[in-house]
Amino acid sequence: MDAPYELIYYTGVPGRGEHVRLTLEEAGAPYQDTQFLSFDEARQNVTNWLGGGGHGNPPYFAPPLFKHGDLVISQTPNILLYLGPKLGLAGSREDDLYRVNALALTALDGLSNEVHDCHHPIAVMLHWEDQREESKRQREESKRRSKEWVQSRLPSHLAYWQRVLDNDERGPGPWLLGDTFTYADIVLFQCLDGTHYAFPKAMKQARETGKYDKVFKLWEDVKARPNIAAYLASNRRQKYQDWGVYRHYDDNDVVAE
Amino acid sequence: MDAPYELIYYTGVPGRGEHVRLTLEEAGAPYQDTQFLSFDEARQNVTNWLGGGGHGNPPYFAPPLFKHGDLVISQTPNILLYLGPKLGLAGSREDDLYRVNALALTALDGLSNEVHDCHHPIAVMLHWEDQREESKRQREESKRRSKEWVQSRLPSHLAYWQRVLDNDERGPGPWLLGDTFTYADIVLFQCLDGTHYAFPKAMKQARETGKYDKVFKLWEDVKARPNIAAYLASNRRQKYQDWGVYRHYDDNDVVAE
């Protein structure tokens, strides 16, 4: 299909759409991106497309959305699943797509959704600078959850990814499926990069244990791939800000005991 | 492939594996299930298979796992994605698989993961009956999160599904894709059923508003499908218990104000 690839998302932070951008950039595939709209225009555009855009597409709950011809779909891992085989980033063996999708879903669960939930574990966060009692309580809950997450969940996730990279079944090579680079590597890179923005002290501490060397090496190896490196140095790579998926709050930047 | 379908999971509650069971049962497809092992045997079996089982499969983070021949995969929506087309439950038009997968992921995010997170929003819950201060605080946080969820998130999710079912693009028919029954309908059914177990008062209240009639009708319609009804009446349908994805705590069984 000759139709352009179109990412429909907010603007101002990398967000969940970043996994889609990185995948397209790695493949050198042209795409349209709504990030260059104004903040309000991008938001309104998302709202319009959440209706599904006709052509048998259902309404969707939340962006990112992805349009290819008449097809409009939502859900980051679903968009990657659609693109992966088309861009040659879904593995090389029969049924690798399902292995890659499992790994991508696991990275997003553990190192994106869980990190995001550290910001407002009970309720949608009131304004962070607000000094009212309810906001103070929410900041305290967010800090407690960050401590708990850094202490118990972060090591569990890093150890899992190290296990994957230690596994002989993959064959040789630095990637999750051995010598075959897939979009699961891209997703894990972006998840590690965002988690590092949110919890730099804990990630430094984890790195210095030496237990997760292959995981941190994968992060560096993806970052150094030519198309990814060129993208990260471009104005298309948006900065993390403290209203996105990954937020840095000094109070929450804790280490494991 | 003539290999049997094998669900590898815990035993004792429906859990996330239930979406896989219901999909296989709807299709009348034979499958093996580890639910008939003892609790400890099932847990040990899961641990063994989390290694991936060789044959190029990576280690996985958590069950449910699904084995078909040499392929072992994890992640509920990934397993359903694998099975859907094989069982004729992934839509009828080109690319419907991606619409169905988007809907299934959205149901699992909103009405499974979010409900589960109401039990221990900050940390992994200590024993619920424990009277120590830390447990009391966690129960209080769980109740606050339940109130917030019932007040703001449940109506948002139910309104979304009603919008999908109101959408003319689907064409006529009671299902998410109109007259084509898919595994997304099964996932939404199980999510509604579990949410009702956890929050019966809030679900009754929502039903009585009359705003979500098509959503509650879909729940009943799936439940009444012959293969599903026979399964639900069988000993293969396990009961909800208060250590599963969906838990009922009287304190958390609140209504919206």
Side-chain angles (χ1 to χ4, degrees), chain A residues 106 110-111 114 148-164 206 211-212 215, chain B residues 60-62:
Chain A
T106 301
L111 295 170
E114 285 189 17
E148 179 68 28
W149 192 82
V150 159
Q151 184 81 27
S152 68
R153 299 294 291 174
L154 178 60
S156 167
H157 292 307
L158 294 175
Y160 166 68
W161 294 107
Q162 181 76 15
R163 273 204 306 284
V164 174
K211 291 183 193 172
Y212 318 114
V215 182
Chain B
Y60 295 109
F61 188 73

Short mmCIF file of all heavy atoms in Angstrom, two decimals, chain A residues 106 110-111 114 148-164 206 211-212 215, chain B residues 60-62:
data_model
loop_
_atom_site.label_atom_id
_atom_site.label_comp_id
_atom_site.label_asym_id
_atom_site.label_seq_id
_atom_site.Cartn_x
_atom_site.Cartn_y
_atom_site.Cartn_z
N THR A 106 5.92 -6.78 27.45
CA THR A 106 6.51 -6.90 28.78
C THR A 106 7.33 -5.66 29.13
O THR A 106 7.28 -5.17 30.27
CB THR A 106 7.37 -8.18 28.85
OG1 THR A 106 6.52 -9.31 28.58
CG2 THR A 106 8.00 -8.35 30.22
N GLY A 110 6.30 -3.14 32.28
CA GLY A 110 7.16 -3.02 33.46
C GLY A 110 7.92 -1.72 33.53
O GLY A 110 8.12 -1.17 34.63
N LEU A 111 8.36 -1.21 32.39
CA LEU A 111 9.26 -0.05 32.41
C LEU A 111 8.65 1.18 31.74
O LEU A 111 9.34 2.16 31.51
CB LEU A 111 10.60 -0.42 31.74
CG LEU A 111 11.41 -1.49 32.50
CD1 LEU A 111 12.59 -1.98 31.67
CD2 LEU A 111 11.90 -0.97 33.85
N GLU A 114 4.36 0.92 34.63
CA GLU A 114 4.64 0.93 36.08
C GLU A 114 5.35 2.22 36.50
O GLU A 114 5.09 2.74 37.58
CB GLU A 114 5.49 -0.29 36.48
CG GLU A 114 4.71 -1.58 36.52
CD GLU A 114 5.52 -2.74 37.12
OE1 GLU A 114 6.55 -2.49 37.78
OE2 GLU A 114 5.11 -3.90 36.91
N GLU A 148 9.12 2.08 46.79
CA GLU A 148 8.75 0.67 46.67
C GLU A 148 9.14 0.13 45.29
O GLU A 148 9.67 -0.97 45.17
CB GLU A 148 7.23 0.55 46.90
CG GLU A 148 6.68 -0.84 46.79
CD GLU A 148 7.13 -1.74 47.93
OE1 GLU A 148 7.41 -1.21 49.03
OE2 GLU A 148 7.21 -2.96 47.70
N TRP A 149 8.89 0.93 44.27
CA TRP A 149 9.16 0.48 42.90
C TRP A 149 10.66 0.30 42.66
O TRP A 149 11.09 -0.71 42.11
CB TRP A 149 8.56 1.48 41.89
CG TRP A 149 8.56 0.90 40.51
CD1 TRP A 149 7.63 0.04 39.98
CD2 TRP A 149 9.56 1.08 39.51
NE1 TRP A 149 7.99 -0.31 38.70
CE2 TRP A 149 9.17 0.31 38.39
CE3 TRP A 149 10.73 1.82 39.44
CZ2 TRP A 149 9.91 0.26 37.21
CZ3 TRP A 149 11.50 1.76 38.27
CH2 TRP A 149 11.09 0.99 37.17
N VAL A 150 11.42 1.28 43.11
CA VAL A 150 12.88 1.22 42.94
C VAL A 150 13.47 0.05 43.73
O VAL A 150 14.41 -0.62 43.29
CB VAL A 150 13.50 2.57 43.37
CG1 VAL A 150 14.97 2.43 43.71
CG2 VAL A 150 13.28 3.61 42.28
N GLN A 151 12.88 -0.20 44.88
CA GLN A 151 13.38 -1.26 45.76
C GLN A 151 13.04 -2.65 45.23
O GLN A 151 13.90 -3.54 45.24
CB GLN A 151 12.73 -1.07 47.14
CG GLN A 151 13.20 -2.02 48.21
CD GLN A 151 14.52 -1.58 48.82
OE1 GLN A 151 14.83 -0.38 48.84
NE2 GLN A 151 15.30 -2.52 49.28
N SER A 152 11.82 -2.84 44.78
CA SER A 152 11.39 -4.22 44.50
C SER A 152 11.13 -4.51 43.03
O SER A 152 11.36 -5.62 42.56
CB SER A 152 10.14 -4.56 45.31
OG SER A 152 9.05 -3.80 44.85
N ARG A 153 10.65 -3.54 42.30
CA ARG A 153 10.25 -3.82 40.92
C ARG A 153 11.39 -3.59 39.92
O ARG A 153 11.60 -4.40 39.02
CB ARG A 153 9.03 -2.97 40.51
CG ARG A 153 7.79 -3.22 41.34
CD ARG A 153 7.22 -4.59 41.18
NE ARG A 153 6.64 -4.82 39.86
CZ ARG A 153 6.17 -6.00 39.44
NH1 ARG A 153 6.22 -7.06 40.24
NH2 ARG A 153 5.67 -6.14 38.23
N LEU A 154 12.09 -2.49 40.06
CA LEU A 154 13.17 -2.20 39.10
C LEU A 154 14.18 -3.34 39.03
O LEU A 154 14.51 -3.80 37.91
CB LEU A 154 13.84 -0.86 39.43
CG LEU A 154 15.02 -0.47 38.53
CD1 LEU A 154 14.61 -0.35 37.06
CD2 LEU A 154 15.64 0.86 39.00
N PRO A 155 14.68 -3.86 40.16
CA PRO A 155 15.64 -4.98 40.06
C PRO A 155 15.02 -6.21 39.41
O PRO A 155 15.70 -6.93 38.68
CB PRO A 155 16.00 -5.27 41.53
CG PRO A 155 15.59 -4.07 42.29
CD PRO A 155 14.46 -3.44 41.55
N SER A 156 13.74 -6.43 39.66
CA SER A 156 13.06 -7.58 39.07
C SER A 156 13.01 -7.45 37.55
O SER A 156 13.26 -8.42 36.81
CB SER A 156 11.65 -7.67 39.69
OG SER A 156 10.85 -8.53 38.98
N HIS A 157 12.70 -6.26 37.07
CA HIS A 157 12.64 -6.06 35.61
C HIS A 157 14.03 -6.14 34.98
O HIS A 157 14.21 -6.80 33.95
CB HIS A 157 11.98 -4.72 35.30
CG HIS A 157 10.53 -4.68 35.66
ND1 HIS A 157 9.64 -5.62 35.22
CD2 HIS A 157 9.83 -3.83 36.45
CE1 HIS A 157 8.43 -5.35 35.71
NE2 HIS A 157 8.52 -4.27 36.47
N LEU A 158 15.00 -5.48 35.58
CA LEU A 158 16.35 -5.51 34.99
C LEU A 158 16.91 -6.93 34.98
O LEU A 158 17.55 -7.36 34.01
CB LEU A 158 17.28 -4.56 35.75
CG LEU A 158 16.95 -3.07 35.62
CD1 LEU A 158 17.87 -2.24 36.53
CD2 LEU A 158 17.07 -2.60 34.17
N ALA A 159 16.65 -7.67 36.06
CA ALA A 159 17.12 -9.05 36.12
C ALA A 159 16.45 -9.90 35.04
O ALA A 159 17.09 -10.78 34.44
CB ALA A 159 16.85 -9.65 37.51
N TYR A 160 15.18 -9.64 34.78
CA TYR A 160 14.50 -10.37 33.71
C TYR A 160 15.18 -10.13 32.36
O TYR A 160 15.48 -11.05 31.61
CB TYR A 160 13.01 -10.00 33.63
CG TYR A 160 12.40 -10.48 32.34
CD1 TYR A 160 12.25 -11.84 32.10
CD2 TYR A 160 12.05 -9.59 31.33
CE1 TYR A 160 11.73 -12.31 30.89
CE2 TYR A 160 11.55 -10.04 30.12
CZ TYR A 160 11.39 -11.39 29.90
OH TYR A 160 10.90 -11.85 28.71
N TRP A 161 15.43 -8.86 32.04
CA TRP A 161 16.03 -8.56 30.72
C TRP A 161 17.44 -9.12 30.62
O TRP A 161 17.87 -9.57 29.55
CB TRP A 161 15.96 -7.06 30.44
CG TRP A 161 14.53 -6.60 30.28
CD1 TRP A 161 13.80 -5.87 31.16
CD2 TRP A 161 13.64 -6.94 29.20
NE1 TRP A 161 12.51 -5.71 30.69
CE2 TRP A 161 12.39 -6.35 29.49
CE3 TRP A 161 13.78 -7.68 28.03
CZ2 TRP A 161 11.29 -6.48 28.64
CZ3 TRP A 161 12.68 -7.80 27.17
CH2 TRP A 161 11.46 -7.20 27.48
N GLN A 162 18.17 -9.11 31.74
CA GLN A 162 19.49 -9.73 31.74
C GLN A 162 19.36 -11.24 31.46
O GLN A 162 20.17 -11.80 30.71
CB GLN A 162 20.19 -9.47 33.08
CG GLN A 162 21.60 -10.04 33.19
CD GLN A 162 22.67 -9.26 32.44
OE1 GLN A 162 22.44 -8.12 32.04
NE2 GLN A 162 23.82 -9.87 32.23
N ARG A 163 18.34 -11.87 32.04
CA ARG A 163 18.10 -13.30 31.78
C ARG A 163 17.85 -13.56 30.30
O ARG A 163 18.35 -14.53 29.73
CB ARG A 163 16.89 -13.81 32.57
CG ARG A 163 17.18 -14.28 33.96
CD ARG A 163 16.13 -15.27 34.50
NE ARG A 163 14.75 -14.81 34.45
CZ ARG A 163 14.20 -13.93 35.28
NH1 ARG A 163 14.93 -13.36 36.23
NH2 ARG A 163 12.93 -13.60 35.17
N VAL A 164 17.06 -12.69 29.69
CA VAL A 164 16.79 -12.85 28.25
C VAL A 164 18.10 -12.78 27.47
O VAL A 164 18.37 -13.60 26.58
CB VAL A 164 15.80 -11.78 27.74
CG1 VAL A 164 15.64 -11.87 26.22
CG2 VAL A 164 14.44 -11.94 28.43
N ALA A 206 21.83 0.77 39.91
CA ALA A 206 21.63 -0.55 39.30
C ALA A 206 22.78 -0.88 38.34
O ALA A 206 23.30 -2.00 38.33
CB ALA A 206 20.30 -0.59 38.55
N LYS A 211 25.28 -6.21 37.64
CA LYS A 211 24.40 -7.38 37.42
C LYS A 211 23.64 -7.33 36.10
O LYS A 211 23.06 -8.34 35.69
CB LYS A 211 23.35 -7.45 38.55
CG LYS A 211 23.88 -7.81 39.91
CD LYS A 211 22.69 -7.91 40.87
CE LYS A 211 23.10 -7.95 42.32
NZ LYS A 211 21.93 -7.86 43.21
N TYR A 212 23.57 -6.14 35.54
CA TYR A 212 22.69 -5.96 34.38
C TYR A 212 23.48 -5.41 33.19
O TYR A 212 22.96 -4.61 32.41
CB TYR A 212 21.54 -5.01 34.75
CG TYR A 212 20.94 -5.26 36.11
CD1 TYR A 212 21.06 -4.32 37.13
CD2 TYR A 212 20.26 -6.44 36.38
CE1 TYR A 212 20.52 -4.56 38.40
CE2 TYR A 212 19.72 -6.69 37.63
CZ TYR A 212 19.86 -5.73 38.64
OH TYR A 212 19.33 -5.97 39.88
N VAL A 215 22.03 -5.55 29.73
CA VAL A 215 20.87 -4.68 29.54
C VAL A 215 21.34 -3.25 29.24
O VAL A 215 20.87 -2.60 28.29
CB VAL A 215 19.96 -4.69 30.79
CG1 VAL A 215 18.72 -3.83 30.57
CG2 VAL A 215 19.58 -6.12 31.16
N TYR B 60 10.39 -15.68 29.67
CA TYR B 60 9.27 -14.74 29.81
C TYR B 60 9.15 -14.28 31.26
O TYR B 60 9.66 -14.94 32.16
CB TYR B 60 7.97 -15.37 29.31
CG TYR B 60 8.01 -15.64 27.83
CD1 TYR B 60 8.09 -16.94 27.33
CD2 TYR B 60 8.00 -14.58 26.92
CE1 TYR B 60 8.17 -17.17 25.95
CE2 TYR B 60 8.06 -14.81 25.55
CZ TYR B 60 8.14 -16.10 25.07
OH TYR B 60 8.21 -16.33 23.72
N PHE B 61 8.47 -13.15 31.44
CA PHE B 61 8.41 -12.51 32.75
C PHE B 61 7.31 -13.09 33.64
O PHE B 61 7.49 -13.21 34.85
CB PHE B 61 8.20 -11.01 32.57
CG PHE B 61 8.32 -10.20 33.83
CD1 PHE B 61 9.57 -9.98 34.42
CD2 PHE B 61 7.20 -9.67 34.45
CE1 PHE B 61 9.69 -9.24 35.59
CE2 PHE B 61 7.32 -8.93 35.62
CZ PHE B 61 8.56 -8.72 36.19
N ALA B 62 6.18 -13.40 33.05
CA ALA B 62 5.02 -13.81 33.85
C ALA B 62 4.04 -14.62 33.01
O ALA B 62 4.00 -14.45 31.79
CB ALA B 62 4.31 -12.57 34.40
#
